[in-house]
Amino acid sequence: MSSIDETLAHLRRAAASTAATLAAVRAAAPEETTATDDSGAVAVAVDRRGRPVGVRVADDWNRRTTPEELGRAVLAAAGAATADLGRAMSEALRADAGAAADALPAEPVAVPAFDGTPRPLTELAELAVAQLSGAAAAEPAAPATATGSAGAHVTVTLAATGLVGCDVDPRWAAPQSGVALSTAVNQALGEAARALVALDGRRQEQDTVLAEAFAHLRALAPATTDGEARA
C-alpha cells in the first residue's frame, strides 16, 4: 500500500469515527425543538441540526415586545430552541449512550473519491488558485452565511449552525398581525435556506477539485515507490 493510500485510509477511519459520534448525537435529538423568547412574543422551531424550520409570532406580540425589539426576539427564541436541543441531546445520550449509538447508522463520510480521468494538473492548479484567491479575499474566521428577505421589510441571515441575524422594519411591523409577521419571517427564512444549499453546492465543487488532485497523487505514488526501490 502506498503512503497516499495509507493516508487516505487513516482519514477515512477518522471520518467514520466522527460520523458515528454525530449520528449518535442526532439519533438522541427530537425531530423538532421549539422555544420562545423571554417575552413569549416569538416561538422558533429548530430541527435536529439546530437549523430553524419555523417561526411563529404571537397574536398579541405587540403587548409582549416592541416593533424595534421584534428581530432580536426572533434571534432569542432561536437561541433558546438551540440550547434546549443541546440539553435534550445530552440527557438522552447520558441516559442510554449505547442505544443512541445504535439507533441511527452512521452516514458514510469519506475522503472525496473521483472516478474517471482527472483534468490536467495545470487546469486543476488554476482552479485551486482561483479558489484560494476567493478564500483569501473573504473574512477567514467568518462562517458561510446566506441571506433571505421578504420584500424590504424582513431580512434573515442563516448559517449552517442556525439563525444568526434577523432584521425587521419596525415602522412596517407595528400595525402587522402575528400571522402576517410569521408569514414574512418564514418567507425570508426559506429564501435564506435555499441560498445556503447553493453555497453548499459550491463547496462540493471544491471537493471535486480535491478528489481529482488525490487521483493524480494515487497515479504518481506507484511510480515514485518503484523508483525508490530501483535506487
Side-chain angles (χ1 to χ4, degrees), residues 67 70-71 148-156 166-173 176 180-181 184-185 188:
L70 188 57
S149 61
H153 310 302
V154 178
T155 302
V156 301
C166 182
D167 295 313
V168 181
D169 179 0
R171 288 178 296 180
W172 170 82
Q176 302 297 323
L181 290 168
V185 176

Side-chain angles (χ1 to χ4, degrees), residues 185-209:
V185 176
N186 282 306
Q187 178 184 331
L189 184 63
E191 184 177 294
R194 290 188 291 273
L196 199 60
V197 169
L199 284 176
D200 188 60
R202 286 196 286 275
R203 181 191 59 78
Q204 291 176 3
E205 291 175 4
Q206 295 174 354
D207 287 348
T208 299
V209 173

Side-chain angles (χ1 to χ4, degrees), residues 108-218:
V109 177
V111 174
F114 183 79
D115 294 324
T117 303
R119 287 168 285 185
L121 277 172
T122 52
E123 183 177 342
L124 291 176
E126 290 177 359
L127 288 171
V129 168
Q131 290 174 359
L132 287 172
S133 298
E139 291 292 335
T145 60
T147 301
S149 61
H153 310 302
V154 178
T155 302
V156 301
T157 303
L158 193 62
T161 53
L163 192 65
V164 295
C166 182
D167 295 313
V168 181
D169 179 0
R171 288 178 296 180
W172 170 82
Q176 302 297 323
S177 67
V179 172
L181 290 168
S182 300
T183 299
V185 176
N186 282 306
Q187 178 184 331
L189 184 63
E191 184 177 294
R194 290 188 291 273
L196 199 60
V197 169
L199 284 176
D200 188 60
R202 286 196 286 275
R203 181 191 59 78
Q204 291 176 3
E205 291 175 4
Q206 295 174 354
D207 287 348
T208 299
V209 173
L210 176 61
E212 291 184 73
F214 270 118
H216 277 291
L217 289 173
R218 289 193 192 97

Side-chain angles (χ1 to χ4, degrees), residues 13-99:
R13 287 193 297 271
S17 176
T18 302
T21 301
L22 289 174
V25 170
R26 287 173 184 155
E31 290 187 8
E32 285 189 11
T33 302
T34 303
T36 67
D37 68 305
D38 289 342
S39 73
V42 179
V44 174
V46 299
D47 64 14
R48 282 177 167 169
R49 296 175 180 267
R51 295 185 181 182
V53 293
V55 176
R56 182 178 60 80
V57 180
D59 291 337
D60 61 344
W61 69 270
N62 50 6
R63 294 183 181 179
R64 300 171 181 266
T65 190
T66 65
E68 291 77 14
E69 293 292 325
L70 188 57
R72 284 185 283 274
V74 174
L75 286 175
T82 301
D84 286 351
L85 171 63
R87 284 190 288 270
M89 290 162 61
S90 298
E91 290 172 4
L93 285 173
R94 281 197 298 269
D96 194 351

